[in-house]
Amino acid sequence: MRHGRAKLARRTLQFYRLNAPHLKPPYKILLDGTFLVSSIRNKVPLFDRFAKTLQNELFTCYVARSTLAELDKLSKSAAATSDSNDDEHSNLFAQARQFGLDECEIIEPDKIPTSPDNNDNSNNNSKRKNWAFKDFSEASTDVFNLATDGGNNSQSYFVATQDDALADALRAMPYVPLFRLGRAVLLLESPSSASRSYTGSNEREKLASAGGLMTAEERQMVKAVKKKDRKKRKDVMKEEQKKLEKRTR
């Protein structure tokens, strides 16, 4: 790995260690079909590249059952034609599916979180609802729901995808690290603006509540003391103003 990419990966991992402690080793990497096909096409040694990027920490690769079904369908569809290019594609899809079967933990449908509850209007779940109705395939929808469960990736997945629409949807949610392939080069993206914004909001809340250690009653007491102190300062300023007016007469 080039020094620049290694340094960027270290910074990205440090950001998540500090701000999203649930994203910790052993890491969980969720691969979609587009990423699997691209890695086969470019002959990328995934386990070696993942290990280097993740600072040789332990990790496990995961794939949704719907992703395997999608690859199987694409493989059979391409094989049904007589074009030599389609034969090549069919082989790529089949190899990608086989990698998922052999090298990844398979996530069954009953383990996939459902789309956001319409009654949950919290900020992050509102964002999830906005993206949940995008024109995603079943496999992409499963990846999205797994990686955005709880509104902040509570299941701690790194997502590896070449699907631009899915990647954009995941960037809009906090704490979803993304792996991408630039041909044969594995890249770990920098934290998204949604992740940085969410972190800033949490930090402001912590400061407002003394690092999260104050109770609601204690916060009310602090507000009352501050209000009383402001009133006292105003009264003092009024007295000083009156004295100044007397001296200038």
Side-chain angles (χ1 to χ4, degrees), residues 63-70 97 101 106-109 112 139 142:
V63 65
R65 179 65 71 180
S66 55
T67 296
L68 298 175
E70 182 178 69
R97 178 175 179 272
L101 287 169
I106 299 172
I107 305 173
E108 301 295 347
I112 308 289
D142 284 350

Side-chain angles (χ1 to χ4, degrees), residues 29 32 45 86 94 106 118 146 158 164 175 188 228 241-242:
I29 306 173
D32 81 342
D86 286 332
I106 299 172
N118 286 329
L146 281 164
F158 285 63
D164 291 335
Y175 302 154
L188 175 60
K228 185 177 180 180
Q241 185 65 30
K242 287 179 182 179

